[in-house]
Amino acid sequence: MFQTAFKYYKAKTPPPSFGEVIPIGSNHPKLESVPLPHADAKSFTGLLPPSEWKVYELSGHPGLLVVLNPFTPTAQRYWMVRCLADYPSHPNTTNQIGARQLIEDVGCSWWELLQTIRSPVEQRKFAKSLRWVTLGYQYDWTRKVYDEARREAFPSDLGTMVRYVAAVLGYDRFSPEAAIVNYYPIGATLAGHTDHSEDDQTAPLFSFSFGQPAVFLIGGTSREERPDAILLRSGDIVVMSGASRLCYHAVPRVCTDVELPAVLGTSAARWQGEDAALPRDDVLWSDVEQYIQYSRININVRQVLKANQQTLQRSGCASAS
């Protein structure tokens, strides 16, 4: 059932209908409004006041929370810039094994090297080559384990933001220790999987979407269970906790607004506009905006260790959405 749904939404000919895809914030019967335990929390720079957040639990998927974009437009741009200009740099690991030596030889970052490519075709090709970056605990993709010897400092700004979001949603003890930043060009997919590499498999996973829209599938603990499809737009947050923490999930489609019903609005509207509380770099943003026109960025944050645990005790398989 899961794979059938995945193939349906992935298909190019004929393209899928989005009639059964659930938009966050809609009056869909499967979206059950969730009261915030800390709606009166002090505001955080770049986020709407918690009293204005719209949070839902997906019916039939206990613990699967979705938050309609709580980010200001400038904050969305800030996180896009961080993911592109800063995170794909040493000591973080990327998938670009072939490009890594070139980047080291020229003495610049992946993002800086991208800007030196003058051919639009070649630039876009090189941009598509970056698919993931790991933050904090680095992940050994060969042995499929986190690496205690490669426990890097988790970005302080990202950690602070995630802890705030977690606390507002009632996860007061969540500790962001690892993240996978995924870079999805239009047409990219992520196959069905579960996340079970962390020593603490009870702590929730936090997934932040920026850029172009995507279809997100959430199923059960077996591939035989029929999944639900959710439409994720820029700024939306997915939290997998409780019974949904170890469920199968996937991204069968990353698309553009023209593929979606017009009633859903446009993605770009979510990162346009101003917020005086955050700085802006027009030159840098111009390059980032060009990239984001054909890409989606996902930041998937997880707690690796159990409470009071100092080092890794187990291993497994990790992936991201």
Side-chain angles (χ1 to χ4, degrees):
M1 294 291 285
F2 192 98
Q3 191 62 18
T4 299
F6 183 88
K7 291 181 178 179
Y8 173 76
Y9 286 108
K10 178 184 177 181
K12 295 181 180 180
T13 306
S17 164
F18 292 89
E20 294 188 7
V21 178
I22 304 170
I24 300 176
S26 66
N27 293 321
H28 197 281
K30 286 195 172 185
L31 291 179
E32 303 174 358
S33 182
V34 175
L36 288 179
H38 301 295
D40 58 348
K42 183 179 178 180
S43 296
F44 185 89
T45 301
L47 292 170
L48 300 175
S51 59
E52 299 180 20
W53 292 17
K54 295 181 179 180
V55 183
Y56 307 88
E57 185 172 42
L58 187 61
S59 177
H61 301 274
L64 195 289
L65 302 182
V66 289
V67 184
L68 178 66
N69 171 36
F71 292 91
T72 65
T74 308
Q76 289 209 31
R77 297 197 294 268
Y78 174 84
W79 292 114
M80 292 178 195
V81 169
R82 286 287 277 155
C83 288
L84 291 169
D86 301 325
Y87 292 158
S89 301
H90 181 80
N92 302 324
T93 305
T94 78
N95 68 292
Q96 295 183 302
I97 298 176
R100 196 171 302 155
Q101 186 61 51
L102 174 60
I103 292 172
E104 292 177 357
D105 290 343
V106 299
C108 64
S109 68
W110 171 84
W111 180 251
E112 291 170 333
L113 183 58
L114 177 65
Q115 305 315 310
T116 67
I117 302 175
R118 298 308 176 190
S119 166
V121 174
E122 291 302 315
Q123 186 183 61
R124 186 164 180 177
K125 180 180 179 181
F126 186 70
K128 286 183 177 181
S129 68
L130 179 66
R131 298 305 300 270
W132 55 260
V133 170
T134 50
L135 310 176
Y137 262 116
Q138 301 297 293
Y139 185 65
D140 186 326
W141 295 88
T142 301
R143 297 188 299 123
K144 300 188 181 302
V145 295
Y146 289 109
D147 188 349
E148 186 64 46
R150 292 289 316 283
R151 185 180 184 179
E152 309 296 343
F154 196 87
S156 60
D157 56 350
L158 180 60
T160 301
M161 185 271 286
V162 175
R163 280 190 292 269
Y164 175 84
V165 171
V168 169
L169 295 175
Y171 306 104
D172 304 277
R173 297 184 179 182
F174 181 79
S175 176
E177 295 163 345
I180 300 177
V181 184
N182 291 299
Y183 304 84
Y184 294 93
I186 297 299
T189 64
L190 180 68
H193 63 278
T194 62
D195 292 291
H196 53 270
S197 178
E198 297 72 30
D199 282 359
D200 190 334
Q201 297 182 7
T202 62
L205 302 179
F206 290 85
S207 176
F208 302 86
S209 293
F210 297 104
Q212 298 305 316
V215 175
F216 173 74
L217 295 182
I218 177 68
T221 56
S222 166
R223 291 182 183 271
E224 301 306 313
E225 297 182 50
R226 179 183 177 86
D228 281 309
I230 303 173
L231 180 65
L232 298 181
R233 308 297 291 264
S234 193
D236 291 339
I237 304 172
V238 172
V239 183
M240 297 179 65
S241 67
S244 76
R245 171 61 176 80
L246 296 175
C247 287
Y248 279 94
H249 53 287
V251 178
R253 197 174 197 89
V254 175
C255 55
T256 60
D257 291 317
V258 296
E259 297 181 53
L260 303 174
V263 68
L264 296 176
T266 63
S267 297
R270 293 193 172 193
W271 62 74
Q272 294 172 342
E274 299 301 323
D275 176 5
L278 290 172
R280 174 174 175 174
D281 184 331
D282 286 326
V283 175
L284 179 57
W285 169 246
S286 177
D287 293 330
V288 171
E289 186 174 32
Q290 181 178 347
Y291 172 93
I292 211 66
Q293 295 305 313
Y294 52 85
S295 303
R296 170 187 180 242
I297 298 173
N298 167 256
I299 310 175
N300 193 283
V301 183
R302 61 279 309 279
Q303 178 175 318
V304 177
L305 305 178
K306 299 177 181 179
N308 301 317
Q309 183 180 337
Q310 301 302 313
T311 59
L312 289 167
Q313 296 179 350
R314 65 178 302 278
S315 62
C317 303
S319 43
S321 55

